[in-house]
Amino acid sequence: MSADTAAKRITQRGLWFEEFEIGAVYEHRPGRTITEADNVLFTTLTMNTQALHLDAAWSATQPGFDGQRLVNSMLTLSTIVGLSVAQLTQGTLVANLGFHEIAFPAPMFAGDTLYGETECTGARLSKSRPGEGIIDLTHIGRNQNGVIVARASRSTLVRVRPEGDE
């Protein structure tokens, strides 16, 4: 490109309402390896004093997890949603309307890597907010072995594509 030619500028953003495809599964990469420091920081910042997250000596005496501390499930949930932002909702989200059907079918431990994927399960224009639509999403978190560690459905309010935006 010559110095006198203007470069095309592309701003990273999420999807406009019209760009979501019902049934499409969006894979979010890279994944995020959760460290012990992540777990302790998140757990203490959120005032969750559950010993299963913080107390290595006590956790070592508990059955079921080979003496390991569990990663805080809210950290897992927050991370799978966070992994989706750049690809799906950055700059196009108006509001998070709510979560439902949240489950944690398998544990996460420090050192596990979390991968996220999101399925679009519904889309409808808002009746009360012109220029916006409701998108239903199901977020899935898998560990490095492909085991599902979290699943959550949520509804979001996103903008429709502005006139003149291509």
Side-chain angles (χ1 to χ4, degrees):
M1 173 171 26
S2 67
D4 59 343
T5 304
K8 180 177 181 179
R9 300 185 66 83
I10 300 170
T11 301
Q12 182 174 329
R13 64 161 171 83
L15 303 177
W16 300 118
F17 173 81
E18 298 85 352
E19 294 174 308
F20 280 92
E21 295 180 39
I22 295 174
V25 176
Y26 303 90
E27 294 181 343
H28 314 302
R29 300 297 184 267
R32 173 70 159 81
T33 301
I34 306 297
T35 68
E36 180 178 351
D38 296 327
N39 190 46
V40 170
L41 180 60
F42 185 91
T43 298
T44 56
L45 282 173
T46 58
M47 300 296 290
N48 181 339
T49 59
Q50 176 53 254
L52 282 170
H53 305 313
L54 295 173
D55 188 330
W58 183 82
S59 294
T61 67
Q62 301 306 301
F65 303 114
D66 297 324
Q68 297 183 74
R69 283 175 286 161
L70 295 175
V71 167
N72 186 316
S73 59
M74 293 296 100
L75 172 57
T76 303
L77 176 62
S78 295
T79 303
I80 63 171
V81 172
L83 287 168
S84 76
V85 169
Q87 188 175 14
L88 299 182
T89 61
Q90 181 66 44
T92 58
L93 181 79
V94 177
N96 185 29
L97 300 177
F99 285 88
H100 42 280
E101 299 179 35
I102 298 170
F104 303 99
M108 285 279 294
F109 302 104
D112 284 348
T113 300
L114 183 59
Y115 293 95
E117 59 190 58
T118 301
E119 180 178 359
C120 177
T121 57
R124 62 195 179 284
L125 288 171
S126 174
K127 293 177 183 170
S128 62
R129 296 182 61 107
E132 297 170 358
I134 298 166
I135 300 292
D136 296 315
L137 304 169
T138 298
H139 299 285
I140 303 288
R142 297 177 188 272
N143 69 14
Q144 67 277 3
N145 300 315
V147 174
I148 295 176
V149 296
R151 177 183 292 111
S153 297
R154 74 175 175 141
S155 297
T156 62
L157 188 64
V158 299
R159 291 191 223 136
V160 301
R161 182 189 307 272
E163 281 189 41
D165 186 282
E166 310 219 9

